[in-house]
């Protein structure tokens, strides 16, 4: 404790020199923290947009193998989950922690109005879902439960077709069994287009969409959950698979994909490995009844996790480079400090301070100075990020990475702690030579030295 108090007192002796060093370290931490927070926030916003698109980060779909009716025809996969409560009951039984779940039906097609048409990805959802309602940014209209076949589209699609609230349009699509079908729909809401992803998105009540595509009553395409801890995606998916596999032992018409096998065959892209297990070109894959496919967001888009890891590696490398440059200054500064304090060191050693304590005073002083500078850099970075977050961004090319038109920043506590550990280690090495020299100094020789 004495060495720490001495180190703190020494920091106040040459304020200008110490301030310059602290500013250099603060600048390094400011740059790294801002870059790390910005890039992590941007990737996180992209992930959130995709998660919102599919309703969660662990997705379960039901697939039925449909052999061709005529010789030479192609096998079809029919995307149906007939038992609406089956997967939900399994998730609850396994006590998987999630914020919300969603059952939805997907349909791809075209919306036609006055001879013009536009491609749509239609999601049949429960439009009363709180999370879904909160994500909607209506330009006009809204959710109207009293309108049959009500349709919510993006403003980009509305502008391209020149449609308004209340207009009737034709939706052209396919049934779950692949036949062409049409339906009259009414525009009830127009959403703000924040990115290319949600430009093609459209929403309607799940029961209306089920009727249009002839989905069996009570059925849907996919069940998704949004986990509280997104790092538990793989574990949750495996738990669901294992539980369904138990039901297969009792009922052979309940099947499930094998994630462990997919991880062996395609370790870098589990999604591809799972797709191979339901490939209709391989007759050995045929199954009776339903086959549940359990996937995670990172299976579908493994690049997201890769990008996040690369971002943290790059920012850590940048920090190390900046700190190495700063540490050259720290090393040189403490060589000068050693020369300036030779007689003082001799006096303290003569009064009984050990060489070990002398080394600690030098090391503690440098480490405290660097930690103060790093903390200041972190605070300034947080302030700068808060200011940038308040600035609205209208650039559509960045819309993928924004949250409601604003940059968001996300800092990792683990990453910051790692950066501080790197700082302390480098600082210790930078002053090691000067600290050792001070510890080995003879009191008599130091007192005789004339500067």
């Amino acid at each position: 404790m004495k060495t720490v108090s001495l180190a703190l007192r020494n920091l106040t002796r040459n304020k200008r020199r110490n301030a310059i060093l602290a500013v250099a370290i603060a600048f390094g931490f400011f740059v790294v923290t801002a870059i790390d927070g910005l890039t992590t926030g941007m990737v996180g916003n992209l992930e959130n947009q995709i998660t919102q698109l599919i309703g969660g980060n662990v997705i379960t779909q039901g697939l039925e193998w449909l052999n061709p009716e005529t010789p030479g025809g192609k096998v079809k996969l029919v995307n149906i989950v007939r038992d609406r409560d089956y997967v939900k009951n399994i998730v609850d039984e396994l006590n998987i922690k999630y914020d919300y779940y969603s059952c939805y039906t997907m349909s791809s097609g075209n919306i036609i109005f006055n001879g013009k048409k536009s491609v749509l990805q239609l999601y049949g959802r429960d439009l009363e879902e709180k999370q879904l309602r909160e994500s909607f940014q209506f330009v006009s209209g809204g959710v109207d439960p009293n309108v049959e076949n009500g349709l919510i589209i993006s403003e980009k699609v509305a502008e391209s077709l020149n449609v308004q609230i209340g207009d009737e349009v034709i939706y052209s699509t396919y049934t779950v069994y692949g036949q062409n079908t049409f339906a009259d729909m009414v525009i009830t809401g127009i959403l703000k287009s924040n990115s290319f992803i949600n430009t093609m998105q459209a929403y309607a009540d799940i029961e209306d969409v089920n009727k249009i595509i002839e989905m069996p009553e009570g059925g849907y395409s996919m069940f998704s959950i949004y986990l509280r801890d997104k790092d538990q995606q793989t574990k949750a998916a495996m738990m669901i698979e294992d539980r369904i596999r138990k039901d297969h032992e009792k009922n052979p018409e309940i099947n499930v994909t094998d994630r462990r096998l997919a991880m062996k065959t395609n370790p870098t892209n589990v999604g591809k490995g799972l797709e191979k297990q339901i490939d209709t070109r391989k007759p050995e894959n045929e199954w009776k009844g339903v086959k549940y496919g359990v996937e995670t967001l990172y299976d579908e888009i493994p690049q997201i996790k890769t990008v996040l890891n690369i971002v943290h590696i790059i920012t850590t490398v940048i920090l190390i480079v900046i700190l190495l440059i700063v540490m050259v200054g720290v090393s040189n500064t403490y060589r000068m400090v050693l020369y300036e304090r030779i007689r003082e060191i001799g006096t303290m050693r003569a009064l009984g301070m050990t060489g070990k304590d002398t080394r600690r005073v030098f090391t503690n002083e440098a480490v405290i100075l660097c930690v103060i500078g790093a903390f200041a850099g972190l605070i300034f970075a947080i302030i700068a990020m808060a200011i940038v977050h308040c600035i609205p961004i209208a650039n559509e090319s960045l819309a993928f990475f924004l949250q409601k038109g604003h940059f968001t920043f996300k800092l990792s506590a683990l990453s910051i702690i790692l950066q501080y550990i790197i700082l302390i280690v480098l600082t210790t090495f930078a002053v090691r030579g000067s600290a050792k020299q001070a510890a080995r100094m003879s009191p008599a020789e130091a007192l005789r030295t004339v500067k």
Side-chain angles (χ1 to χ4, degrees):
M1 198 68 188
K2 273 185 181 180
T3 57
V4 173
S5 62
L6 277 171
L8 287 169
R9 189 189 66 184
N10 287 340
L11 286 175
T12 63
R13 295 173 63 177
N14 196 324
K15 294 178 182 178
R16 179 179 292 181
R17 182 172 61 203
N18 290 336
I20 292 171
L21 272 177
V23 167
I25 294 164
F27 176 75
F29 254 77
F30 171 82
V31 171
V32 171
T33 304
I35 292 173
D36 192 20
L38 174 62
T39 50
T40 304
M42 290 172 70
V43 174
N45 288 336
L46 175 62
E47 182 179 340
N48 289 337
Q49 286 200 46
I50 297 170
T51 301
Q52 182 59 49
L53 180 68
I54 61 178
N57 43 31
V58 177
I59 309 101
T60 304
Q61 58 180 326
L63 299 167
E64 297 181 1
W65 186 287
L66 188 64
N67 286 312
E69 297 178 356
T70 56
K74 290 184 178 180
V75 174
K76 292 181 182 177
L77 287 183
V78 182
N79 188 191
I80 300 176
V81 178
R82 296 180 183 271
D83 186 344
R84 179 164 290 192
D85 297 324
Y86 177 69
V87 183
K88 169 69 165 52
N89 290 340
I90 285 177
V91 170
D92 290 341
E93 178 188 322
L94 295 171
N95 199 28
I96 294 173
K97 305 298 181 184
Y98 61 89
D99 285 331
Y100 60 88
Y101 75 93
S102 179
C103 303
Y104 61 96
T105 298
M106 289 177 59
S107 170
S108 299
N110 292 289
I111 178 176
I112 304 167
F113 182 74
N114 286 344
K116 297 179 181 179
K117 68 178 181 179
S118 180
V119 176
L120 278 190
Q121 183 68 47
L122 180 60
Y123 291 84
R125 301 277 296 266
D126 177 0
L127 298 180
E128 297 301 318
E129 284 181 17
K130 181 183 176 184
Q131 288 77 15
L132 182 64
R133 293 286 287 264
E134 289 176 351
S135 71
F136 285 154
Q137 290 180 274
F138 284 105
V139 174
S140 59
V143 175
D144 190 342
N146 299 317
V147 176
E148 186 178 358
N149 284 356
L151 181 64
I152 298 170
I153 60 175
S154 71
E155 63 177 331
K156 289 288 185 183
V157 171
E159 288 170 3
S160 67
L161 299 178
N162 195 27
V163 296
Q164 298 177 353
I165 301 298
D167 285 341
E168 291 189 8
V169 297
I170 297 173
Y171 178 57
S172 168
T173 187
Y174 296 91
T175 68
V176 289
Y177 297 103
Q179 289 89 24
N180 287 326
T181 188
F182 297 86
D184 293 324
M185 305 192 79
V186 179
I187 305 297
T188 62
I190 297 175
L191 297 170
K192 184 176 180 181
S193 298
N194 290 322
S195 68
F196 177 74
I197 290 178
N198 61 25
T199 292
M200 295 188 297
Q201 281 179 251
Y203 297 91
D205 183 77
I206 186 170
E207 300 302 335
D208 291 339
V209 177
N210 283 352
K211 287 178 186 176
I212 293 170
I213 67 172
E214 299 179 13
M215 176 73 73
E217 187 176 352
Y220 57 88
S221 301
M222 294 187 179
F223 175 90
S224 62
I225 54 174
Y226 188 86
L227 297 177
R228 291 178 186 172
D229 183 358
K230 64 182 180 182
D231 293 330
Q232 297 295 313
Q233 292 181 38
T234 299
K235 181 181 178 182
M238 283 186 171
M239 289 171 66
I240 294 170
E241 270 193 358
D242 291 341
R243 177 60 183 79
I244 295 174
R245 201 166 284 115
K246 285 184 179 179
D247 285 344
H248 172 73
E249 295 171 2
K250 303 173 186 175
N251 183 354
E253 292 198 355
I254 296 177
N255 306 275
V256 68
T257 50
D258 191 336
R259 166 171 292 274
R260 290 178 179 84
L261 177 61
M263 291 171 75
K264 289 179 181 177
T265 56
N266 287 73
T268 58
N269 192 331
V270 178
K272 287 287 184 185
L274 293 170
E275 285 176 11
K276 289 179 181 178
Q277 298 174 24
I278 57 173
D279 189 347
T280 56
R281 294 171 296 181
K282 298 179 179 179
E284 63 271 20
N285 283 341
E286 184 177 356
W287 63 85
K288 299 295 182 182
V290 62
K291 188 166 194 172
Y292 289 98
V294 187
E295 294 182 289
T296 70
L297 177 65
Y298 294 145
D299 293 339
E300 292 292 315
I301 312 169
Q303 295 85 356
I304 286 181
K305 207 164 187 179
T306 303
V307 168
L308 278 173
N309 291 334
I310 290 172
V311 165
H312 290 310
I313 290 169
I314 290 174
T315 52
T316 302
V317 170
I318 292 172
L319 175 67
I320 290 172
V321 171
I322 292 173
L323 288 181
L324 284 174
I325 295 169
V326 173
M327 288 308 125
V328 173
V330 171
S331 180
N332 291 333
T333 298
Y334 276 87
R335 283 190 188 132
M336 292 170 56
V337 168
L338 175 65
Y339 175 71
E340 291 172 358
R341 298 180 188 169
I342 286 178
R343 292 177 65 83
E344 181 183 327
I345 292 168
T347 303
M348 289 191 296
R349 292 296 307 279
L351 291 173
M353 179 176 277
T354 64
K356 190 176 181 181
D357 285 341
T358 306
R359 185 170 65 248
R360 281 178 178 169
V361 170
F362 268 77
T363 304
N364 289 343
E365 184 179 337
V367 168
I368 291 169
L369 175 65
C370 291
V371 169
I372 290 171
F375 183 73
L378 176 64
I379 296 300
F380 280 118
I382 292 171
I383 293 170
M385 289 187 290
I387 294 170
V388 172
H389 172 68
C390 295
I391 302 172
I393 308 296
N395 191 330
E396 288 190 11
S397 61
L398 293 173
F400 281 111
F401 308 103
L402 303 177
Q403 185 182 70
K404 296 183 178 180
H406 293 266
F407 281 118
T408 58
F409 297 83
K410 188 175 181 182
L411 297 177
S412 165
L414 183 62
S415 178
I416 293 172
I417 291 169
L418 176 63
Q419 290 167 3
Y420 268 88
I421 291 171
I422 292 171
L423 170 69
I424 292 169
V425 170
L426 289 179
T427 303
T428 303
F429 274 104
V431 298
R432 189 180 178 189
S434 299
K436 269 188 174 183
Q437 196 174 342
R440 291 172 181 171
M441 194 172 290
S442 166
E445 183 183 336
L447 289 169
R448 284 198 301 266
T449 301
V450 179
K451 294 185 281 183

